[in-house]
Amino acid sequence: MNTPLRLSQEPVSPTIEAAAAHAEDISNAFRDLQIVLPPETIVRRDEPLARRTTLRVGGPADLFIEPSSDNALASALEIAHLRSIPLFLLGRGSNLLVRDGGIRGMVLSLAHPHFSRIELKGQRITAGAGARLKSIAHEARRAGLGGVEFFEGIPGCLGGALRMNAGAMGAWTFDTVEELRCMSPSGQILTLPAQEVPVEYRACPLLRTHIALGAVFRGRPDDAEVIRAKMEQFSKKRWTSQPNQPSAGCTFKNPQPTLPAGRLLDELGLKGARVGDAMVSDVHANFFVNLGQARASDILELIEQVRTRARELRGIELETEVEIVGEDA
Ligand code: EPU
């Protein structure tokens, strides 16, 4: 079994027969899940996803599961496999654009407290995939451990940060990871030393098929005051250089190390460009904000317009950094 955890970025248009067969698979899986999973596990149908993303757009998930244990997660994976249901792992939805038709398949969220623990022992910080990055940064600071200060202002959870090797303020998630704990598509738990896990700019390819359960970080002992000052400095930089309206963070990957996408779009005069309530932020041009009533289709249209401008005016092919999933309405 090797079900990818990421849905294709391209929406699919199923035939009527395929759509009917899918609806039946979903109904059967929903029934199986209710029988097999413990009562503490949340199992829902047609769960709206807009409120589970920071951009606040997108349609519902056919199935939404919040497992309460490793076993419950493994059982959900097994049912998805048996019923051939596509899987998608949702973090805090802070780097995600769900299309207006929502997600055809099973959306898994590790938001249950079982997956959100943070433990400190010596220089080691052990955190679950559902732990908030901000909480990890603050727990480490309290214990006088540096190295994860940059987590302070990232609005995501650890699982998402591991999957995309999230970075900010010149640091990357995997810089301080010592050990990764993950679940294979067949429900097997693996504990891997970080050296055995290849990572790239904004990606950890293993986590396209495996689910991150958590990680051990090796913190650097430091003066708690020094760590606090560093976090404050990061936070200040963020508040002055990034918008606070709903967004999914940076829309595009930086096309070159010396050419940040934000600067490029700014130079192209795109700040303030709008499609409906989707707008290129006038604070940081690589953030596309939702002014209130934007739909996913507005954001997608704005992304296309901006890519076209970058291509036509500078010959640069911009690649999205935000993860785009689901079906059109
Ligand atoms: N800039 C402009 N105009 C703008 C935006 C930026 O001229 O509208 C200039 C800035 O003045 C600066 C340069 O572009 O000289 C780079 O900007 P910034 O320091 O904000 O960094 P970035 O490369 O745009 C990256 C990450 C962010 C992360 C920041 C802070 C990517 C795609 N983005 O942004 O990550 O928060 O560094 O460290 O690598 C995200 O992943 O969602 C994200 C926001």
Side-chain angles (χ1 to χ4, degrees):
M1 165 165 65
N2 208 20
T3 316
L5 285 169
R6 282 162 179 241
L7 303 168
S8 153
Q9 293 246 326
E10 294 306 319
V12 288
S13 310
T15 59
I16 293 173
E17 294 79 20
H22 175 77
E24 198 180 329
D25 285 338
I26 293 292
S27 295
N28 290 334
F30 184 59
R31 195 198 52 222
D32 296 349
L33 290 160
Q34 285 178 310
I35 295 168
V36 170
L37 296 177
E40 302 77 34
T41 287
I42 293 174
V43 181
R44 297 204 186 119
R45 273 194 81 158
D46 301 323
E47 175 73 359
L49 294 176
R51 59 173 185 239
R52 294 183 183 272
T53 74
T54 54
L55 197 47
R56 305 247 170 264
V57 301
D62 286 337
L63 292 169
F64 176 82
I65 320 285
E66 229 177 75
S68 52
S69 65
D70 294 356
N71 282 344
L73 172 60
S75 301
L77 291 182
E78 194 182 351
I79 290 169
H81 173 63
L82 291 172
R83 299 281 178 197
S84 305
I85 292 175
L87 288 169
F88 179 71
L89 197 70
L90 177 72
R92 290 187 73 84
S94 58
N95 189 48
L96 187 65
L97 170 46
V98 179
R99 290 190 181 88
D100 295 313
I103 293 183
R104 298 293 71 74
M106 181 187 290
V107 172
L108 291 161
S109 161
L110 302 187
H112 188 277
H114 170 76
F115 294 101
S116 311
R117 294 186 198 126
I118 302 172
E119 282 156 14
L120 289 116
K121 208 173 191 185
Q123 292 177 26
R124 292 197 167 77
I125 308 154
T126 304
R132 295 184 63 175
L133 297 172
K134 200 183 191 65
S135 309
I136 298 174
H138 283 278
E139 288 289 334
R141 173 184 58 77
R142 275 192 276 275
L145 292 174
V148 291
E149 295 92 341
F150 72 102
F151 276 169
E152 195 276 337
I154 305 182
C157 63
L158 178 57
L162 290 166
R163 194 167 70 169
M164 60 173 301
N165 191 17
M169 311 297 159
W172 306 95
T173 301
F174 270 90
D175 289 349
T176 38
V177 171
E178 194 171 80
E179 199 173 87
L180 171 71
R181 205 169 154 260
C182 59
M183 187 177 279
S184 74
S186 58
Q188 195 193 353
I189 294 177
L190 309 173
T191 303
L192 303 168
Q195 310 87 272
E196 288 179 19
V197 183
V199 292
E200 302 160 6
Y201 168 61
R202 292 295 197 257
C204 171
L206 175 74
L207 298 177
R208 287 182 190 143
T209 50
H210 289 53
I211 296 179
L213 297 176
V216 180
F217 295 91
R218 179 181 273 273
R220 266 194 325 272
D222 207 344
D223 187 278
E225 254 322 289
V226 172
I227 300 171
R228 198 187 52 76
K230 207 168 176 183
M231 281 164 67
E232 236 165 51
Q233 181 202 335
F234 287 170
S235 162
K236 199 166 157 205
K237 176 171 186 235
R238 194 174 292 272
W239 282 111
T240 50
S241 67
Q242 299 184 357
N244 58 11
Q245 292 133 307
S247 80
C250 282
T251 309
F252 299 106
K253 290 181 184 168
N254 287 338
Q256 294 151 20
T258 50
L259 181 60
R263 186 188 302 152
L264 170 69
L265 304 190
D266 195 352
E267 284 170 5
L268 293 176
L270 290 163
K271 278 182 169 173
R274 269 178 83 160
V275 173
D277 260 1
M279 186 180 90
V280 175
S281 164
D282 43 23
V283 179
H284 190 302
N286 201 13
F287 281 64
F288 290 12
V289 296
N290 179 353
L291 297 175
Q293 304 301 317
R295 294 176 58 77
S297 55
D298 299 326
I299 312 261
L300 288 163
E301 172 62 28
L302 191 57
I303 287 176
E304 277 322 305
Q305 290 185 8
V306 166
R307 292 185 75 202
T308 304
R309 287 286 283 276
R311 190 183 304 124
E312 285 175 1
L313 297 175
R314 298 283 289 270
I316 292 171
E317 204 54 57
L318 286 172
E319 201 187 320
T320 46
E321 196 255 0
V322 53
E323 189 173 5
I324 304 169
V325 294
E327 310 301 320
D328 290 323

